[in-house]
Amino acid sequence: MATLQAPQVGRGEAAFGHRLSSGNLICDLCPRFCELAPGQHGWCQTRYNRRGRLWSANHNWLSIMQFGRVESVPIVQYASGGIVLKLGSFGCNFIPQGERDAFGAEVGSGRSITPRDLANICLNLAPQGCIGAAFVFAEPLMWYEFLLQSAMLLKKCDMRVILATAGFVNIRPLQELLPYLDAVRFDLFAFDSAFYRNNMHISFAEVLLSLRSLALSDVHLEVSTPLLEGENDKPEDVARIAAYLAQNYGPDIPYHLLLPGGRPALDKMPPPDRERIMCCADAAGSILNRVYLS
């Protein structure tokens, strides 16, 4: 196998940071630009100041891994029927800290893994139909160093790399990752800056900038809206997102409405909730040509 050009970080050390004259560090991975005194962790809980150097607490740390079809990501217009390893670590830079217990995996669970381990697992499963890896749990961009190194190696092995993200990341890290991505599911929670500011404490403009960067790249892009009861699950909420997507990226962009618990849970919902979801799907479908309930 050819020698890989590894990212310029040591084992466990994080990329994208700079030092202030005070000795504190600024993390430059996402637009929060957390300022970290020695011993402090950032908002995402994955990046911290260790004796004046920026380190990644989840480097090479696997919290969850599943084996499933590409459609379960969900991605429906790319590599249909292919099998991927769906994986993730801990860490998130957009879910409010007080709500993280029910989101993704927690610090301390899981095991260590290396990018080469991941590539070997995918290659060994290739006879069973495995086409690569999908980084989908928590916020994979907060697992940046492992994600980038793994994506580089997987591409060398002719394996596919899929990412699910909410897109709250600075442009330079995203641009460095793009050549190694094949497909992205982009979570757009609302077309409303107040929603992002009040519910997620992040800048909506930065999210749209990431979406645009992906749309202008060669990466296969699908957009999804995780429906949150009482927050973004009205037909008019979904219609605003669909109208933006159609106007900027065309009516054929695949669009998913992600249901709590997935599609099977739809049949178990109380009739008023099920009707509201179907009205959301109808609202999106009146604007976009490829709408999916997932």
Side-chain angles (χ1 to χ4, degrees):
M1 183 177 294
T3 301
L4 301 179
Q5 180 182 357
Q8 298 302 304
V9 293
R11 180 176 174 83
E13 194 169 355
F16 304 109
H18 68 274
R19 187 188 307 274
L20 299 176
S21 59
S22 65
N24 291 351
L25 300 177
I26 299 292
C27 175
D28 297 318
L29 179 60
C30 90
R32 290 192 186 280
F33 295 107
C34 292
E35 180 176 345
L36 308 175
Q40 284 189 331
H41 285 67
W43 173 281
C44 65
Q45 297 298 303
T46 68
R47 308 174 86 76
Y48 66 102
N49 183 337
R50 180 184 179 188
R51 300 174 184 173
R53 299 176 72 177
L54 187 65
W55 283 68
S56 172
N58 61 357
H59 187 87
N60 285 7
W61 192 252
L62 175 69
S63 293
I64 184 170
M65 179 184 286
Q66 298 175 351
F67 194 50
R69 294 191 179 277
V70 172
E71 288 84 352
S72 69
V73 171
I75 293 281
V76 296
Q77 296 289 327
Y78 176 82
S80 179
I83 303 296
V84 289
L85 283 180
K86 301 189 295 181
L87 67 158
S89 189
F90 63 87
C92 180
N93 66 336
F94 63 92
I95 292 294
Q97 292 180 335
E99 300 177 10
R100 292 184 188 173
D101 289 346
F103 182 85
E106 296 304 310
V107 178
S109 64
R111 63 182 179 86
S112 179
I113 189 174
T114 68
R116 192 167 296 275
D117 292 334
L118 175 58
N120 284 333
I121 293 171
C122 290
L123 288 171
N124 289 335
L125 290 172
Q128 283 74 53
C130 182
I131 62 169
F135 299 84
V136 299
F137 298 110
E139 173 46 71
L141 290 175
M142 298 300 100
W143 202 18
Y144 187 88
E145 290 73 28
F146 181 83
L147 169 57
L148 177 59
Q149 292 169 9
S150 297
M152 294 168 68
L153 184 55
L154 287 165
K155 296 296 284 185
K156 286 285 185 180
C157 299
D158 293 324
M159 286 283 173
R160 316 285 181 89
V161 180
I162 296 172
L163 173 69
T165 180
F168 190 55
V169 66
N170 286 326
I171 290 302
R172 183 186 164 205
L174 182 59
Q175 291 291 341
E176 291 194 13
L177 183 61
L178 278 178
Y180 308 103
L181 298 178
D182 293 294
V184 172
R185 189 203 85 208
F186 192 98
D187 288 343
L188 188 60
F189 285 82
F191 192 73
D192 182 355
S193 59
F195 177 94
Y196 274 86
R197 181 176 62 252
N198 298 331
N199 293 59
M200 305 170 74
H201 307 287
I202 62 178
S203 166
F204 182 47
E206 301 288 353
V207 171
L208 291 184
L209 186 59
S210 294
L211 177 59
R212 180 169 178 79
S213 295
L214 287 164
L216 293 175
S217 74
D218 293 329
V219 172
H220 174 79
L221 176 64
E222 302 192 10
V223 178
S224 61
T225 296
L227 294 176
L228 307 173
E229 185 176 358
E231 299 288 349
N232 65 351
D233 60 348
K234 298 182 180 64
E236 55 266 31
D237 298 330
V238 172
R240 280 195 291 270
I241 298 173
Y244 169 80
L245 295 175
Q247 181 177 356
N248 289 273
Y249 306 117
D252 289 329
I253 187 169
Y255 179 58
H256 302 262
L257 295 174
L258 302 186
L259 308 178
R263 180 66 185 267
L266 183 64
D267 295 335
K268 300 178 182 179
M269 289 181 179
D273 294 340
R274 185 165 61 248
E275 182 177 354
R276 185 176 66 254
I277 297 298
M278 296 309 298
C279 287
C280 286
D282 289 342
S286 68
I287 301 170
L288 297 172
N289 297 329
R290 300 175 180 178
V291 177
Y292 305 91
L293 288 174
S294 303

